[in-house]
Amino acid sequence: MIKADREGAVQQAVFDGEGSRIRWTEVSGAEPARVYLHGLGSMSAPYHAHIAARPELAGRRSLFMDLPGHGLSDRPRHFGYTLEEHADAVAAALDAAGVGGAELIAHSMGGAVAIVLAHRRPELVSRLVLSEANLDAFPPLTAGSSAIATYEEDEFVEEAYPRVLAAVGPLWAATMRLADPRALHRSAVGLRRGSDPVMRTILEGLDIDRVYLQGEESGELEDRERLEAAGVRVLTVPGAGHNIMFDNPDAFAAAVSANI
């Protein structure tokens, strides 16, 4: 097994045949590890470190993973950035870090990646806590991924990327500007296309603990009853929109700690 390259709290692992590296920030602690995955155009630590540090969650090994093309990770030009490729890159990191049976706490696109990972490498995942994860292919144009995917790749990279940064607001732009524009576009296209089978179908069939968090301000989750019938615990979080970990960190941390 290829071991992770260690340099302080930042670690890295090769995820393709050309030496590209996926990187994460790690805090040591008890197993099973918690692995935090971010959304499109984001980074894991800014969105989740304040949650992992809370008293009810502290003391567990925590990995804040930056997906390929995002944050600290490499952004290879040849990479496709599909959900499956993102999931395989995370798997390579977990293999290198010696992580198995992890709890995945995953936001938005990261939730879709986590679902695909649990399907492709079930031994790596023991629990999913999904925060407004993408479950269906071809979401409406109001979704950020769909809006980005409306552009052709070169058009987005050469012309539209600065306009998108200006339009998404300062919080999202703060991390999106660190993502590679081409990787961002390909990730959006891959997310809009979805996985095969689609993420919702995979999630319904997984035989692990599954929690889905929906922000009250985001509206009702589509086909909620179907998910609940499949054993997914769906929680509506009051006073929260898409970024539940910021809007209601108490409820988010309670869900992660299984105290809600």
Side-chain angles (χ1 to χ4, degrees), residues 1-4 88 90-99 121 123-124:
M1 181 178 70
I2 299 176
K3 293 185 177 180
D88 289 348
V90 174
L94 298 184
D95 285 341
V99 171
R121 294 289 306 277
E123 76 280 7
L124 295 179

Side-chain angles (χ1 to χ4, degrees), residues 9 59 68 146 230:
S146 291

Side-chain angles (χ1 to χ4, degrees), residues 17-253:
E18 298 190 7
S20 304
R21 286 169 167 80
I22 182 170
R23 296 184 177 88
W24 65 96
T25 304
E26 181 167 336
V27 178
S28 61
E31 303 285 351
R34 292 191 178 114
V35 179
Y36 294 85
L37 299 178
H38 60 81
L40 180 69
S42 187
M43 297 174 64
S44 283
Y47 275 69
H48 293 120
H50 68 293
I51 297 295
R54 291 174 62 101
E56 63 267 43
L57 297 177
R60 286 281 288 276
R61 185 182 182 189
S62 300
L63 289 75
F64 305 97
M65 193 79 57
D66 286 346
L67 296 171
H70 293 72
L72 300 177
S73 293
D74 287 348
R75 47 218 58 209
R77 180 72 175 264
H78 69 276
F79 199 64
Y81 299 94
T82 65
L83 291 175
E84 290 81 2
E85 287 172 301
H86 277 302
D88 289 348
V90 174
L94 298 184
D95 285 341
V99 171
E103 298 182 10
L104 267 58
I105 297 88
H107 179 227
S108 198
M109 183 183 81
V113 173
I115 293 168
V116 174
L117 175 62
H119 175 63
R120 293 168 76 86
R121 294 289 306 277
E123 76 280 7
L124 295 179
V125 184
S126 64
R127 182 172 185 248
L128 291 175
V129 180
L130 306 172
S131 176
E132 296 218 350
N134 298 71
L135 298 180
D136 303 302
F138 302 104
L141 287 177
T142 52
S145 57
S146 291
I148 291 172
T150 58
Y151 297 98
E152 295 296 326
E153 182 173 308
D154 287 341
E155 178 189 13
F156 178 79
V157 171
E158 297 168 9
E159 300 175 19
Y161 178 58
R163 297 199 300 271
V164 170
L165 281 178
V168 298
L171 179 61
W172 197 6
T175 55
M176 187 182 288
R177 68 190 179 194
L178 301 178
D180 177 74
R182 199 170 299 277
L184 181 64
H185 182 270
R186 291 183 187 176
S187 295
V189 170
L191 180 58
R192 185 169 187 269
R193 183 183 301 120
S195 60
D196 183 19
V198 75
M199 296 83 76
R200 184 184 293 270
T201 299
I202 295 174
L203 180 62
E204 290 171 348
L206 292 173
D207 188 23
I208 56 175
D209 184 37
R210 295 150 295 161
V211 180
Y212 190 102
L213 304 180
Q214 177 77 359
E216 180 183 43
E217 297 172 3
S218 298
E220 187 61 32
L221 176 65
E222 185 177 351
D223 287 337
R224 174 176 182 152
E225 296 80 6
R226 177 177 152 188
L227 287 174
E228 291 177 328
V232 180
R233 192 152 52 110
V234 180
L235 303 173
T236 299
V237 181
H242 188 58
N243 295 324
I244 298 171
M245 70 292 294
F246 296 142
D247 298 336
N248 193 335
D250 290 340
F252 191 94

